[in-house]
């Protein structure tokens, strides 16, 4: 699944990289908005499943082992990794296309994968002591910030080709925080879509996404957890 995700990322990046001018900008804007949509879906899935995810995953594993053996269990892992891998590929492409690619971006991606692997191992070793609901809430807020930046980037690309109107461009200009010359600004631009000179429509799109989606997610994860479920019934009682 990881190899398929890498292959898909390379194919999409190579395809977009070969485009020129208007076609490239339209493709970049479209991918940014698609990636934002996928991240939004994922974060709400995380919010809705946070309270039940552990028990549900254990149930899926039990059913897979009982009905399909190792093959079914491998399929669960395959599709889980493939889904997240394709989402990661879209996110990385949306933040790198249109810029001069170099080994730093590759190094950043590898370090990110390494850190994710380490976190996964720690969760595996200490999963019973981790508050999954709080963990999902923290990562969900970060993902929403990422997605808001992608929305603003998509708007910018469509404005470049005249598909969206340009209003008050720039709304402000903070040249001192230019990603081309400032490391902190470059980091913020890559992850959160920061631009020192955004248009009014970009700012409206950013906060128009961030505020309602953020409120909805925080409201979902703030709900009181339901009472603990009763222990699984005896199999003999169930069959009876």
């Amino acid at each position: 699944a990881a190899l398929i995700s890498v292959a898909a990322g390379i194919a999409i990046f190579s395809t977009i990289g070969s485009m020129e001018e208007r076609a490239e900008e339209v493709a970049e804007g479209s991918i940014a908005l698609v990636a934002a949509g996928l991240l939004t879906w994922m974060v709400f899935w995380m919010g809705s499943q946070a309270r039940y995810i552990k028990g549900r995953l254990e149930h899926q594993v039990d059913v897979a082992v009982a009905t399909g053996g190792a093959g079914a269990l491998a399929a669960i892992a395959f599709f889980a990794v493939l889904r997240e891998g394709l989402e990661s590929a879209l996110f990385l492409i949306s933040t790198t296309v249109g810029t001069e690619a170099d080994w730093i971006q590759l190094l950043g991606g590898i370090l990110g994968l390494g850190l994710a692997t380490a976190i996964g191992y720690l969760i595996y070793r200490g999963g019973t002591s981790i508050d999954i609901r709080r963990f999902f809430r923290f990562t969900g807020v970060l993902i929403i910030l990422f997605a808001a930046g992608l929305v603003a980037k998509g708007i910018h690309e469509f404005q470049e080709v005249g598909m969206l109107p340009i209003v008050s461009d720039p709304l402000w200009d903070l040249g001192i925080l230019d990603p081309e010359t400032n490391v902190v600004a470059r980091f913020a631009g890559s992850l959160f879509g920061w631009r020192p000179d955004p248009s009014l429509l970009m700012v409206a799109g950013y906060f128009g996404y961030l505020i309602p989606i953020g409120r909805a997610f925080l409201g979902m994860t703030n709900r009181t957890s339901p009472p603990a479920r009763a222990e699984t019934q005896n199999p003999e009682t169930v069959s009876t």
Side-chain angles (χ1 to χ4, degrees), residues 47-235:
S48 64
Q49 301 295 319
R51 292 173 288 176
Y52 310 113
I53 187 68
K54 185 175 183 292
R56 187 165 297 179
L57 288 176
E58 289 175 349
H59 174 71
Q60 288 179 347
V61 170
D62 291 340
V63 172
V65 172
T67 59
L73 187 59
I76 291 177
F78 173 82
F79 286 110
V81 172
L82 181 63
R83 181 187 64 194
E84 303 303 329
L86 292 177
E87 289 178 358
S88 299
L90 278 176
F91 174 70
L92 288 173
I93 290 170
S94 66
T95 58
T96 56
V97 290
T99 62
E100 184 177 352
D102 54 33
W103 67 272
I104 292 295
Q105 294 171 341
L106 175 61
L107 177 61
I110 293 175
L111 290 176
L113 289 174
L115 180 59
T117 302
I119 292 174
Y121 176 77
L122 292 175
I123 292 176
Y124 172 75
R125 297 296 298 178
T128 56
S129 60
I130 292 178
D131 187 340
I132 297 296
R133 184 182 178 194
R134 183 172 297 177
F135 176 78
F136 275 4
R137 191 180 193 208
F138 173 75
T139 54
V141 170
L142 286 180
I143 290 172
I144 290 173
L145 290 172
F146 298 161
L150 290 174
V151 170
K153 177 173 182 175
I155 291 174
H156 171 73
E157 298 300 334
F158 289 141
Q159 285 182 315
E160 288 288 301
V161 296
M163 295 177 64
L164 288 176
I166 298 177
V167 181
S168 298
D169 185 19
L171 185 60
W172 62 69
D173 191 350
L174 302 177
I176 192 174
L177 294 177
D178 188 346
E180 296 295 328
T181 58
N182 187 288
V183 175
V184 175
R186 186 179 306 169
F187 178 82
S190 298
L191 288 184
F192 306 114
W194 162 259
R195 290 183 64 89
D197 53 350
S199 67
L200 175 61
L201 193 58
M202 288 177 62
V203 174
Y206 184 91
F207 289 103
Y209 171 91
L210 180 65
I211 294 175
I213 296 298
R215 288 187 63 181
F217 175 74
L218 292 176
M220 176 186 296
T221 55
N222 268 336
R223 293 172 188 167
T224 305
S225 298
R229 296 182 176 182
E231 293 294 328
T232 304
Q233 299 179 11
N234 186 297

Side-chain angles (χ1 to χ4, degrees), residues 15-73:
T15 302
I16 295 176
S18 63
M19 295 180 178
E20 296 181 357
E21 299 179 354
R22 180 182 176 86
E24 181 181 6
E25 291 173 338
V26 170
E28 291 174 11
S30 300
I31 285 181
L33 294 181
V34 169
L38 287 174
L39 291 175
T40 304
W41 172 83
M42 182 176 68
V43 80
F44 277 102
W45 179 87
M46 289 166 57
S48 64
Q49 301 295 319
R51 292 173 288 176
Y52 310 113
I53 187 68
K54 185 175 183 292
R56 187 165 297 179
L57 288 176
E58 289 175 349
H59 174 71
Q60 288 179 347
V61 170
D62 291 340
V63 172
V65 172
T67 59
L73 187 59

